[in-house]
Amino acid sequence: MYLAIALLLAALIGLRWVSRPSQVSWIVLAQAGRALGLEISAGGASEYRLRGTPMIVVRDLVVREPGAGRPLLRAQRVYLSLPWATIRAAGDSLDIERVELDAPQLDIAALNHWLATRPPSTEPITIPSLSRGARVIGGRLIGEGWSVENFGVDFAELGPEKPVRGRLKGHVLSDGVAIPFDVAATLQRASLARGVGMAGQVAVEARDWTLPMRVRLGALLYSGDDGLGLDRLRLGANARYRAGDTDLPFVYGVAGPLRYRDGKLSLAPMGAILRGDDTASGSAASNASAVNAPTPNNAAANTATTASLIPNLDAHGSFAFGQALQLHWQGTLATWPAGWPALPPPLGQSDSPLPFRLDYQGKADFSGPTALQLQRDQTRFDAGFRLPAVLQWLDVSEGSPLPPLNGRMSTPKIEISGATLEGVEIEIEDDPQEPTAPPAAR
C-alpha cells in the first residue's frame, strides 16, 4: 500500500517535471555537468519531445569549469535527438540520432585547461554514432592570437565503421591575415589512425596580396603526447599569387606530420616542392566562380611570364604558426628564374644548381625580416630583406637598379672585364637609415 502511494507520488512529480521544458533541460544539464566536472547552464527557453524519438532543444547554453573566468563553450542553440534505448542505457550507449549547434563559441585555451584536469584513461576513445548526422552553423573557435570565424560543419551520418562525408567552411583570422576555406572532407572511419581526405577552395588574404588555391589533402588522423594532428600528410595545390597587376599561377606540394598543441600548429620535418605552372591558368580559370580567377584570356596573357618568375625548387625544413609564423627551409633551386634580377658575377656566370637556405620569423603576411643564403660553386651570397619591399621593387619599371636588401657576397675569384680578382667580398646596403638585418640562419 505505502509502496504504491510512493510510486504514484513519484510518477506525479515526474510528470510535473517533464511538463516543463525548463525543468527537463535543468535535469539533463545538471547530470551532464556533474559527470564532466563542469558548470552547465541555459538561459533561453527550452523545448522537448518525448513521443517517437526523444528530442531536446537548449538555448543560450554556457559551459565553464567551476570557478573559471571565461566559459569554454557558448551556443545560441543546441538540438539533440536520441532514441529511448540510449536514454535507458544511462551512458553505456552513444547511439544518437542528430546533433545541431547554432553559433557555438569554443575557447581552445579553456578547453585545454579542462582536458588537463580530467583523470587519465587507458580506454580507447568511444566514437558516437549519429544516424542523421550533425550540423554546425555560425561557429567560432577562439585560439591564442587567432580565431576561426563563421565556422560550419555538415555531414549526413557518423558511425564507427562507416565512412564520413561532409563539408567544412569558415575564415581563419590571425595578425591581419584571413584564410577563408570551403572544402569537402571524407573520413575513412570515425577513429584514430584512419585516412582522411579533403579537397576544395582555400585562400590566404593579406593587405596587399591574395593567394587563392585549389587544394587536395590526404593524411591519417593522429592523437598523442605531442598533440592532435595528421600523420603522413600530403598536400598539393594549384595556386595563384595576386598583387596589383601581378597574377602568377603555380603549383606546390608539402608533406610531413602536422601537429597542433598549446596554440601552435607545426609541420616538422617537412618536405616541399614549388613549380611554375603554365597549365595552372586553365585549371584556375575553370574554378573562377569559387576563387575569382581571371578569365582564360587574361590568364593566358600572364602565362608567358609565369615560368620566368616562379622558381623550381625542392626543399625540406620546418613550419610553425602560433604567436608568429616561422619558416625554415633549405634545398636547391634548379635554375635562377630568368624573370628575377640578374645575379652578379660569378653567381650569374654559372649554370650550376643553387643550394639555398631561407629563414623567416614574423607576421603571417610575410612582412617581417627574411634571411636568404645562396651558394653556387664556391661563391656564397647572404641577404636580408622584407618580401613586400622586394615585390614592390619588382613591380616598378624605373627606380633603383639594386633590390631593397642588405647582402654580402664572398667568392675566391671573380673575372670582370678581363681582370681577375681573388678573395673578393662585396656588401650591399639597402638604406643606412633603415637597415634590414636578416635573422640568424639555422
Side-chain angles (χ1 to χ4, degrees):
M1 178 77 174
Y2 294 111
L3 179 59
I5 294 175
L7 290 174
L8 178 60
L9 181 59
L12 291 174
I13 294 173
L15 286 173
R16 181 174 179 81
W17 273 342
V18 298
S19 69
R20 297 184 180 182
S22 61
Q23 294 290 346
V24 175
S25 64
W26 181 86
I27 295 169
V28 173
L29 298 180
Q31 290 177 342
R34 283 194 296 270
L36 298 173
L38 293 168
E39 294 177 351
I40 306 177
S41 63
S46 301
E47 303 173 17
Y48 81 102
R49 181 187 67 214
L50 297 178
R51 289 180 296 178
T53 301
M55 172 275 292
I56 187 169
V57 175
V58 177
R59 290 183 171 83
D60 299 333
L61 179 74
V62 179
V63 181
R64 73 176 73 234
E65 257 191 279
R70 59 186 186 186
L72 64 87
L73 175 66
R74 293 178 179 271
Q76 288 184 4
R77 173 181 173 271
V78 179
Y79 168 95
L80 175 68
S81 63
L82 65 170
W84 280 109
T86 300
I87 298 175
R88 297 189 187 100
D92 292 333
S93 171
L94 289 179
D95 293 331
I96 300 170
E97 185 177 76
R98 183 167 175 82
V99 175
E100 295 178 2
L101 296 175
D102 293 356
Q105 295 187 37
L106 181 63
D107 189 305
I108 302 299
L111 174 64
N112 288 335
H113 186 274
W114 170 70
L115 290 174
T117 67
R118 304 300 295 161
S121 175
T122 58
E123 297 294 326
I125 298 176
T126 303
I127 303 298
S129 66
L130 296 167
S131 60
R132 294 204 303 117
R135 187 203 66 186
V136 176
I137 59 173
R140 187 177 187 226
L141 307 180
I142 306 169
E144 296 294 335
W146 61 270
S147 66
V148 182
E149 306 292 335
N150 199 26
F151 181 61
V153 180
D154 196 351
F155 58 88
E157 185 179 13
L158 173 65
E161 299 301 323
K162 296 180 179 180
V164 184
R165 297 180 177 87
R167 196 158 199 91
L168 307 173
K169 63 180 181 179
H171 283 72
V172 180
L173 300 179
S174 177
D175 206 9
V177 173
I179 307 175
F181 61 92
D182 187 349
V183 298
T186 299
L187 181 61
Q188 183 184 24
R189 295 288 187 273
S191 58
L192 294 176
R194 294 295 186 175
V196 59
M198 295 184 187
Q201 306 296 333
V202 180
V204 181
E205 300 175 349
R207 183 182 62 181
D208 300 321
W209 56 269
T210 62
L211 190 68
M213 299 172 278
R214 173 75 182 179
V215 302
R216 300 162 300 282
L217 177 151
L220 298 178
L221 293 180
Y222 173 87
S223 176
D225 294 339
D226 55 346
L228 301 173
L230 300 173
D231 263 353
R232 303 183 190 178
L233 170 69
R234 299 290 186 274
L235 184 149
N238 288 73
R240 307 188 76 93
Y241 171 80
R242 292 178 178 154
D245 295 332
T246 302
D247 189 347
L248 301 176
F250 61 94
V251 297
Y252 73 89
V254 297
L258 183 71
R259 297 289 184 267
Y260 178 81
R261 183 180 180 184
D262 299 332
K264 186 176 183 179
L265 187 71
S266 62
L267 186 63
M270 69 173 292
I273 63 169
L274 175 66
R275 301 287 186 267
D277 183 21
D278 291 346
T279 64
S281 57
S283 174
S286 66
N287 298 307
S289 61
V291 298
N292 296 322
T295 63
N297 288 338
N298 289 339
N302 288 308
T303 298
T305 62
T306 300
S308 63
L309 288 173
I310 301 296
N312 289 346
L313 64 83
D314 297 89
H316 62 275
S318 64
F319 162 89
F321 180 52
Q323 294 294 332
L325 174 64
Q326 300 175 0
L327 184 63
H328 306 294
W329 274 6
Q330 61 184 64
T332 302
L333 282 169
T335 59
W336 186 255
W340 289 10
L343 289 171
L347 285 173
Q349 296 172 336
S350 173
D351 294 328
S352 301
L354 290 93
F356 74 90
R357 176 174 294 191
L358 184 144
D359 290 83
Y360 176 82
Q361 181 169 338
K363 292 185 177 182
D365 61 0
F366 288 96
S367 61
T370 301
L372 175 65
Q373 180 187 108
L374 287 173
Q375 186 164 345
R376 175 174 268 174
D377 302 324
Q378 300 300 312
T379 302
R380 174 171 161 166
F381 179 63
D382 293 274
F385 62 90
R386 295 181 184 269
L387 183 61
V390 174
L391 293 175
Q392 183 179 13
W393 177 80
L394 288 171
D395 284 338
V396 176
S397 58
E398 297 180 359
S400 171
L402 295 177
L405 55 79
N406 294 332
R408 181 183 299 109
M409 186 180 73
S410 61
T411 183
K413 184 172 64 175
I414 184 173
E415 295 183 1
I416 301 178
S417 302
T420 300
L421 303 177
E422 295 184 352
V424 177
E425 291 190 2
I426 300 174
E427 292 192 8
I428 301 174
E429 190 170 340
D430 174 31
D431 187 346
Q433 303 302 318
E434 298 183 5
T436 306
R442 298 186 180 182

